[in-house]
């Protein structure tokens, strides 16, 4: 003990600066493997889809405008539908959705997002996607006032970018991350239906079924730039707890009409409401309704 204390005193008076602990290095990136002809065909198909949507005035990136007004009542009504219920299994897959419909589910601990790129994702696309996730995570943290960050290790929210050729890679990684993952989810990941270009599933624990502890998103790398960014915005937001879509929600990405590609002003308010401390995980839609109405009016600047 005295020797240790003496060493401490010596260190405190030394002119040599203490060496910082080594920083954990990010894992080595997966080597790039050019996509197959089938994957390239799928990429051309999605390019045609994106062009068609843009030609029809869809996939807007303006966040909403005078042509898409909404008030506090709209916001409260849309929040109830989008935050208290889950669309399963069409687009967002929430593992516990069948048990928690009608009750609020979200994260209570820090959300640590990590992007993982399968072999067929080109290096330039990896850089672009990683930068978009970094910026989006910072935006989500500001909107929710919740600890949301991008990490290289010990993630609990994994965002996979993978293509038609990468099923084996993704299945292997999911088995490593979630040893008890169901075969149904593995099958969905390995062979997603043609109309599914991205999806997310979030999981809780049996003792706290409304508190998410892990989420996994899969985004097809064959998607062109705007559709891929649209998937980043919607799937991560849904993985945070806005797990449903509503045809009445406008302007919103939580609407399957594809009018808006990126998070809107309306959607930002939904996220702020979701992580308002006055709404706790597990609260029922009926019990939350008066509070939801108050929060919506506060956010819209309308009289209570």
């Amino acid at each position: 003990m005295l020797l240790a204390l003496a060493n401490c005193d010596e260190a405190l008076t030394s002119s040599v600066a203490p060496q910082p602990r080594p920083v954990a290095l990010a894992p080595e990136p997966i080597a790039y493997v050019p996509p197959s002809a089938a994957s390239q065909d799928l990429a051309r198909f999605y390019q045609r889809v994106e062009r068609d949507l843009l030609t029809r005035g869809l996939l807007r990136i303006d966040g909403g405008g005078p042509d898409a007004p909404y008030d506090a009542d709209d916001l409260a009504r849309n929040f109830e539908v989008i935050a208290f219920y889950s669309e399963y299994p069409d687009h967002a897959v929430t593992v516990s959705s069948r048990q928690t419909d009608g009750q609020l589910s979200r994260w209570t601990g820090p959300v640590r997002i990590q992007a993982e790129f399968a072999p067929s994702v080109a290096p330039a696309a990896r850089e672009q996607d990683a930068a978009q996730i970094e910026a989006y995570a910072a935006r989500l943290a500001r909107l929710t006032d919740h600890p949301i960050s991008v990490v290289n290790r010990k993630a609990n929210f994994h965002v996979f970018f993978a293509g038609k050729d990468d099923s084996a890679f993704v299945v292997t990684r999911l088995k490593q991350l979630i040893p008890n993952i169901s075969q149904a989810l593995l099958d969905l990941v390995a062979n997603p239906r043609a109309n599914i270009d991205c999806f997310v599933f979030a999981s809780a624990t049996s003792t706290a079924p409304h508190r998410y502890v892990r989420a996994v998103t899969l985004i097809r790398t064959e998607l062109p730039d705007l559709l891929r960014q649209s998937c980043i915005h919607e799937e991560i937001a849904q993985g945070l707890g806005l797990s449903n879509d509503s045809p009445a929600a406008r302007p919103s990405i939580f609407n399957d009409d594809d009018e808006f590609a990126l998070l809107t002003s309306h959607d930002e308010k939904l996220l702020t409401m979701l992580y308002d401390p006055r709404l706790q995980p597990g609260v029922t839609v009926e019990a939350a309704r008066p509070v939801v109405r108050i929060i919506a009016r506060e956010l819209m600047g309308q009289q209570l």
Side-chain angles (χ1 to χ4, degrees):
M1 291 293 293
L2 288 174
L3 179 61
L5 183 59
N7 287 340
C8 286
D9 288 341
E10 183 180 357
L12 288 171
T13 58
S14 172
S15 61
V16 179
Q19 295 299 309
R21 293 183 178 181
V23 177
L25 299 177
E28 287 295 320
I30 302 298
Y32 172 58
V33 177
S36 66
S39 177
Q40 294 177 54
D41 286 342
L42 186 59
R44 285 188 285 270
F45 166 75
Y46 282 126
Q47 288 167 3
R48 291 194 297 271
V49 170
E50 182 175 285
R51 284 197 301 268
D52 177 65
L53 292 170
L54 290 170
T55 299
R56 292 190 282 133
L58 303 176
L59 296 182
R60 291 170 55 176
I61 60 174
D62 58 4
D67 65 314
Y70 60 96
D71 60 18
D73 291 338
D74 297 324
L75 194 65
R77 181 181 62 251
N78 293 338
F79 180 79
E80 283 193 12
V81 174
I82 293 169
F84 284 88
Y85 300 94
S86 301
E87 55 169 356
Y88 183 93
D90 293 336
H91 195 57
V93 181
T94 306
V95 172
S96 57
S97 64
R98 292 177 178 174
Q99 289 75 37
T100 60
D101 268 2
Q103 293 175 271
L104 191 74
S105 295
R106 63 171 172 84
W107 297 72
T108 53
V111 180
R112 302 182 300 275
I113 302 173
Q114 181 176 0
E116 296 202 34
F117 300 100
S120 72
V121 185
R126 298 183 191 193
E127 290 185 12
Q128 176 177 287
D129 294 335
Q132 288 180 350
I133 288 180
E134 185 90 37
Y136 190 48
R139 180 181 177 187
L140 293 172
R142 290 193 301 270
L143 291 171
T144 60
D145 196 25
H146 189 80
I148 301 172
S149 61
V150 173
V151 298
N152 290 322
R153 293 181 181 276
K154 297 184 178 180
N156 52 17
F157 197 127
H158 297 264
V159 182
F160 285 95
F161 292 87
K164 189 177 183 65
D165 306 330
D166 301 313
S167 296
F169 168 83
V170 177
V171 167
T172 298
R173 284 292 292 127
L174 285 181
K175 286 182 176 179
Q176 293 170 348
L177 294 169
I178 313 172
N180 61 342
I181 188 171
S182 70
Q183 188 60 46
L185 283 176
L186 285 176
D187 291 342
L188 179 64
V189 171
N191 299 291
R193 297 196 301 270
N195 65 330
I196 296 180
D197 46 20
C198 49
F199 63 85
V200 61
F201 58 87
S203 61
T205 64
S206 58
T207 56
H210 310 289
R211 300 173 187 268
Y212 292 148
V213 296
R214 184 179 297 279
V216 175
T217 294
L218 178 68
I219 299 173
R220 287 186 187 266
T221 192
E222 289 93 354
L223 294 172
D225 288 350
L226 184 54
L227 282 179
R228 197 163 65 251
Q229 187 179 9
S230 178
C231 279
I232 291 172
H233 276 223
E234 182 170 4
E235 303 312 320
I236 294 179
Q238 289 198 314
L240 292 178
L242 295 178
S243 54
N244 200 12
D245 281 343
S246 169
R250 185 174 187 265
S252 180
I253 59 174
F254 304 109
N255 185 323
D256 281 336
D257 64 5
D258 293 319
E259 181 180 7
F260 292 89
L262 307 180
L263 204 71
T264 67
S265 63
H266 169 278
D267 301 332
E268 290 183 333
K269 294 179 179 66
L270 294 183
L271 284 162
T272 299
M273 295 171 72
L274 178 65
Y275 282 84
D276 190 295
R278 287 170 285 184
L279 296 174
Q280 287 297 306
V283 65
T284 65
V285 64
E286 293 83 6
R289 187 166 290 133
V291 180
V292 167
R293 181 177 180 274
I294 290 171
I295 299 172
R297 289 185 172 273
E298 289 175 351
L299 290 174
M300 294 300 298
Q302 293 180 225
Q303 187 175 359
L304 298 179

